Amino acid sequence: MESVVIQGVELRLTPPDEMRWQWVGRPELKRQLLAAWAVLDEQDHALSPRLVGKPGVGKTTLASAAARALDIPLYVFQATMDTRPEDLLVTPVITDGQKLRYTASPLVSAMIKGGVCVLDEGNRMSERSWASLAPLLDRRRYVESVVAGVKIHAHRNFRFCATMNDDASTFDIPEYIQSRLQPQIVIDFPERDEEQAILQANLPFASPRILHYLAVFLQRAHEDDQPFTVRDGINIARYALKLGASDRGGLDVKKHVRQAAAMILGDDALEYLPGEVPLDHP
């Protein structure tokens, strides 16, 4: 693992994430995120947007694709209700030789290396943890680790965004933090053609029939304000294909998709499946 010395303290860096996820359709959302990260002048600085939407609509995929467009490394930090300030910044570790070693979090590693940090599901995190990021998210662009006793300034190429799920199992973000997490980029359900293209990109080995069948299912669910997302459609397709491969009769799209949908989303999802499977991709 790579190490750096800051103010006399050695920090071991977390390696970046290797995510080659493809952003399909909705180019406007990618443009909005890249615009938020743009720096126009020496006196300017990148914004720290929040990506808001239901689980599974592609928030992390969008950030990953934008990082790849900038050709800078990507670091993803998964926030939870138990995330502490030291988890976000620098964690002390006792080595085999009973020596103290400091490990930089993915966020701090991104700050040092000039990468993108995606704070995933940030609104699951408590105010105490958010407070440690306040100076990073304004013009100061630094964090202070009480554990390691160092102040760490962000590389000029460092970019940040937080993804936030639109559901009930989250905290309210403090106003002084929310004012720093701007702009808000809302990721909604894609249109049917885009949704089918996303399914195709993630399931290139699946037949057009099953992809079209699931695209219709998802659009019908969206119209009824159900929370089913393209991630659910991908999971249903994967499981249906596996069920078909294990069945002596081979894949029966309607039978195996219904079985997979019931096992993944529950019986209530079945009413949104079309009655007939298309013979050909339209």
Side-chain angles (χ1 to χ4, degrees):
M1 292 178 65
E2 183 180 356
S3 298
V4 298
V5 177
I6 298 178
Q7 298 170 16
V9 177
E10 182 180 8
L11 300 178
R12 299 193 70 176
L13 303 182
T14 301
D17 292 279
E18 293 293 334
M19 292 184 180
R20 295 296 175 183
W21 298 342
Q22 183 181 0
W23 180 251
V24 179
R26 297 175 291 172
E28 176 62 17
L29 292 173
K30 187 176 176 182
R31 187 188 71 83
Q32 290 173 7
L33 178 54
L34 290 172
W37 283 345
V39 176
L40 306 180
D41 186 84
E42 285 294 322
Q43 302 302 313
D44 192 18
H45 68 278
L47 298 173
S48 300
R50 62 187 190 273
L51 312 182
V52 179
K54 295 186 183 300
V57 294
K59 300 183 292 296
T60 306
T61 300
L62 172 60
S64 173
R68 190 162 64 252
L70 295 175
D71 196 25
I72 55 179
L74 172 72
Y75 298 78
V76 179
F77 186 100
Q78 180 64 53
T80 70
M81 295 175 64
D82 299 322
T83 297
R84 303 166 300 172
E86 55 266 37
D87 299 325
L88 277 173
L89 305 179
V90 177
T91 304
V93 178
I94 303 295
T95 66
D96 292 340
Q98 298 301 304
K99 292 183 179 180
L100 193 62
R101 184 179 70 204
Y102 295 105
T103 300
S105 70
L107 184 147
V108 168
S109 298
M111 290 174 60
I112 293 169
K113 297 296 290 184
V116 167
C117 177
V118 179
L119 183 62
D120 208 11
E121 302 188 35
N123 52 343
R124 299 196 187 282
M125 205 165 65
S126 69
E127 180 177 356
R128 180 167 170 263
S129 294
W130 273 114
S132 66
L133 300 184
L136 175 65
L137 302 176
D138 59 28
R139 289 184 176 271
R140 291 173 287 177
R141 285 176 63 83
Y142 69 75
V143 295
E144 291 186 275
S145 170
V146 176
V147 170
V150 293
K151 179 184 288 188
I152 304 166
H153 290 268
H155 190 288
R156 183 161 178 79
N157 289 341
F158 171 70
R159 300 292 186 268
F160 177 92
C161 70
T163 72
M164 298 188 178
N165 286 337
D166 181 15
D167 60 36
S169 60
T170 56
F171 289 108
D172 289 331
I173 302 298
E175 187 174 342
Y176 71 94
I177 292 295
Q178 189 155 295
S179 66
R180 289 167 163 84
L181 295 174
Q182 298 293 348
Q184 174 177 280
I185 299 174
V186 178
I187 304 176
D188 208 341
F189 296 125
E191 297 296 326
R192 175 171 158 180
D193 289 347
E194 292 176 328
E195 205 150 39
Q196 187 155 337
I198 294 168
L199 290 168
Q200 176 63 51
N202 284 273
L203 300 160
F205 48 86
S207 72
R209 291 184 67 205
I210 190 171
L211 299 181
H212 178 54
Y213 190 55
L214 283 166
V216 173
F217 158 73
L218 289 170
Q219 289 298 313
R220 292 176 65 171
H222 301 335
E223 291 171 3
D224 205 25
D225 202 28
Q226 292 297 319
F228 310 147
T229 65
V230 69
R231 179 194 293 169
D232 297 317
I234 292 168
N235 288 335
I236 291 169
R238 285 187 185 278
Y239 192 43
L241 291 169
K242 296 175 193 296
L243 288 170
S246 66
D247 195 321
R248 288 184 178 182
L251 178 66
D252 179 322
V253 172
K254 184 174 180 180
K255 169 187 169 182
H256 291 122
V257 167
R258 288 183 66 83
Q259 186 178 353
M263 295 178 70
I264 290 173
L265 297 176
D267 290 340
D268 290 346
L270 300 182
E271 66 178 282
Y272 300 102
L273 285 169
E276 297 298 329
V277 181
L279 294 177
D280 298 295
H281 178 50

